[in-house]
Amino acid sequence: MWTSWWLWALVAVCTGDQFRDEAERIMRGTPVIDGHNDLPWRLLTMFNNRLQIERANLTSLANTHTNIPKLRAGFVGGQFWSAYTPCDTQNKDAVKRTLEQIDVIQRMCQMYPETFVCVTNSAGARRPQPALLTGVRQAFREGRVASLVGVEGGHSIDSSLGVLRTLYRLGMRYLTLTHSCNTPWADNWLVDTGEDKAESQGLSHFGQSVVKEMNRLGVIIDLAHVSVATMKAALRLSTAPVIFSHSSAYSLCQHRRNVPDDVLRLVNQTGSLVMVNFYNDYVSCRQEATLSQVADHLDHIKKVAGAGAVGFGGDFDGVSRLPVGLEDVSKYPDLVAELLRRRWTEAEVRGALANNLLRVFEAVEQVSDHTQSPEEEPIPAAQLQASCRTMYGYSEAPSLHRQPGALLASLTTVLLGLGLL
Ligand SMILES: *[C@@H]1O[C@H](CO)[C@@H](O)[C@H](O)[C@H]1NC(C)=O
Ligand SMILES: *[C@@H]1O[C@H](CO)[C@@H](O)[C@H](O)[C@H]1NC(C)=O
Ligand SMILES: [Zn+2]
């Protein structure tokens, strides 16, 4: 009796290790590309973006979910770093703060070139120009973390297609259409809870131009944080697959940040991707959650949308509560071991780790067409909140630089012309 218990325990331990070993073997060839990490926001709030001060050393950074040893232990090979600025910057300094967050990501790559390489495409070949043109697959081969910029929140473009294009040139490869606030052209998830009013019924006419321009440029459309109507409008309109960079399954946890099943079916039909968020509140709808519950979300999305539609978008350093077993970025192999325990095939696991994202990214690159004319039609002036902005370009009124005398003279001319003087 004693012997059989002892044997049973030994077998249990060995099989546990076996899945974990298998996970590491797979991840040595196909490391994880995570959809959303808020370390840049932490660097702003902890150090005001000063990377050179000693406490900010990313090798020994403490009190964060992310640092270099943890990324290594977690087999992280690609990361969309979030260039995030909160909704209270909308119509104020959102563009400036977004530029600063892109800058801090690029300085991370410069300061730690053995660990990070900033990339802007999926490719395997190193192009003639170094650094910015290296692709994800090349970074994998070099054993460095392919570092991509994801801009979190449409308010970051300040309703300007010119800003959208400029952010693309600075390396932005996804734009989340909203954060947790409406933009003048797209509605956010709080519309679905009733906390915000629907303004664009998904996407306004200008919002549709934004999506078309993202397709033309080759920027992935990210639907985390948007309302269900916005999800459906973008999925219908986009000619390339889209992603949810950090969202989980609504049918397992009825939080409006999550993706409902009817949308998951559209995800399947469009070859799109849901990168599962680990935040307890979206995983279990409670303060506590477990790694196994995260695997339930991955299982559910696989069941409804297909194994090709699953990815990881941990939201590390952007959330306050994480599941037991997924406390920081070193824990991805434990989640992969759990999927193997649940009989995911090696190909399915490699898909969830990186290949599904690479498939979407390549399709987005394929659809992009820089020979096509850019979208030019500005947002209507009436849709902008003007308290903190000038309105140059919108009005035929006399230029503000004219002297009051000149203004009076032209007014006189107009009135004379109308026969009023
Ligand atoms: C960070 O600290 C390590 C030692 O822990 C040191 O080797 C490295 O040069 C430091 N990096 C920077 C950029 O200061
Ligand atoms: C969509 O579903 C079909 C049928 O179940 C499946 O063959 C296909 O692989 C799915 N697509 C993705 C992206 O997983
Ligand atoms: Zn977010």
Side-chain angles (χ1 to χ4, degrees):
M1 193 61 197
W2 183 85
T3 324
S4 69
W5 269 111
W6 181 83
L7 268 175
W8 185 87
L10 184 69
V11 166
V13 166
C14 285
T15 44
D17 280 348
Q18 177 208 317
F19 289 120
R20 172 67 206 217
D21 289 349
E22 181 73 355
E24 290 197 14
R25 183 187 65 77
I26 292 172
M27 293 181 86
R28 265 190 285 277
T30 310
V32 59
I33 304 175
D34 179 273
H36 195 85
N37 184 301
D38 270 308
L39 181 64
W41 178 250
R42 299 278 281 155
L43 295 174
L44 176 72
T45 54
M46 293 166 77
F47 312 116
N48 210 355
N49 281 347
R50 287 168 298 181
L51 294 185
Q52 289 164 44
I53 63 181
E54 208 173 307
R55 277 181 310 125
N57 187 319
L58 297 186
T59 306
S60 49
L61 187 62
N63 306 317
T64 52
H65 304 144
T66 312
N67 65 24
I68 289 173
K70 288 173 186 170
L71 287 165
R72 291 299 186 196
F75 293 86
V76 177
Q79 183 66 63
F80 277 96
W81 300 107
S82 177
Y84 163 69
T85 184
C87 278
D88 62 351
T89 67
Q90 174 152 238
N91 300 317
K92 295 184 187 136
D93 54 354
V95 173
K96 169 220 171 198
R97 288 199 171 276
T98 304
L99 296 179
E100 287 176 344
Q101 294 316 98
I102 293 176
D103 170 71
V104 83
I105 295 165
Q106 290 172 347
R107 284 189 289 120
M108 271 170 54
C109 294
Q110 277 164 10
M111 273 185 79
Y112 301 91
E114 319 76 26
T115 304
F116 302 116
V117 55
C118 278
V119 306
T120 52
N121 67 72
S122 63
R126 186 190 278 283
R127 309 288 177 83
Q129 296 94 330
L132 270 182
L133 286 179
T134 305
V136 175
R137 292 180 196 276
Q138 174 66 19
F140 279 10
R141 281 199 285 273
E142 294 171 3
R144 297 196 284 172
V145 181
S147 296
L148 296 131
V149 174
V151 171
E152 186 178 25
H155 57 288
S156 282
I157 69 166
D158 200 13
S159 299
S160 163
L161 296 166
V163 173
L164 175 74
R165 285 186 281 272
T166 302
L167 293 179
Y168 167 81
R169 291 184 200 109
L170 293 177
M172 170 180 73
R173 287 299 177 270
Y174 78 58
L175 172 67
T176 318
L177 296 185
T178 71
H179 191 253
S180 300
C181 54
N182 290 348
T183 65
W185 47 271
D187 290 342
N188 85 103
W189 66 277
L190 290 167
V191 162
D192 297 329
T193 66
E195 287 163 88
D196 280 349
K197 272 221 280 291
E199 293 176 88
S200 298
Q201 321 309 323
L203 289 171
S204 73
H205 182 74
F206 182 79
Q208 294 169 24
S209 297
V210 171
V211 165
K212 286 180 200 160
E213 190 66 351
M214 288 171 71
N215 282 162
R216 189 190 70 85
L217 290 167
V219 180
I220 302 171
I221 291 150
D222 176 23
L223 300 180
H225 285 277
V226 306
S227 73
V228 171
T230 309
M231 293 176 193
K232 289 179 177 171
L235 278 157
R236 200 164 40 239
L237 182 62
S238 177
T239 52
V242 307
I243 64 169
F244 291 79
S245 68
H246 56 304
S247 299
S248 300
Y250 183 80
S251 86
L252 298 191
C253 161
Q254 276 84 57
H255 193 295
R256 293 293 184 173
R257 269 287 281 104
N258 287 339
V259 189
D261 282 356
D262 59 336
V263 174
L264 287 178
R265 284 185 276 273
L266 295 174
V267 165
N268 173 273
Q269 287 160 23
T270 53
S272 295
L273 177 63
V274 179
M275 306 177 92
V276 169
N277 193 314
F278 301 168
Y279 184 36
N280 290 358
D281 299 43
Y282 305 161
V283 169
S284 62
C285 283
R286 302 166 59 97
Q287 303 247 322
E288 301 80 30
T290 63
L291 178 150
S292 169
Q293 287 175 311
V294 173
D296 292 344
H297 282 265
L298 291 157
D299 268 340
H300 181 83
I301 294 164
K302 181 181 159 204
K303 188 179 82 194
V304 180
V310 188
F312 302 143
D315 213 354
F316 284 113
D317 281 307
V319 298
S320 45
R321 291 181 285 275
L322 284 158
V324 175
L326 283 174
E327 292 84 0
D328 60 55
V329 299
S330 72
K331 303 300 174 86
Y332 293 101
D334 295 325
L335 182 55
V336 170
E338 176 62 19
L339 298 181
L340 292 168
R341 197 171 291 121
R342 295 178 181 211
R343 309 204 173 282
W344 285 46
T345 67
E346 183 168 331
E348 289 169 349
V349 165
R350 288 189 196 275
L353 284 169
N355 292 343
N356 295 340
L357 186 280
L358 286 169
R359 180 198 74 233
V360 169
F361 195 11
E362 280 161 7
V364 167
E365 290 171 336
Q366 207 82 65
V367 160
S368 77
D369 182 358
H370 292 250
T371 66
Q372 233 181 304
S373 308
E375 298 278 328
E376 284 194 334
E377 194 56 34
I379 193 167
Q383 290 172 22
L384 287 173
Q385 282 181 26
S387 61
C388 281
R389 72 174 81 241
T390 55
M391 297 302 286
Y392 293 122
Y394 273 106
S395 167
E396 306 293 354
S399 154
L400 291 177
H401 294 292
R402 286 214 207 154
Q403 296 306 306
L407 189 64
L408 195 62
S410 51
L411 187 64
T412 311
T413 314
V414 169
L415 295 176
L416 276 173
L418 293 171
L420 293 175
L421 284 183

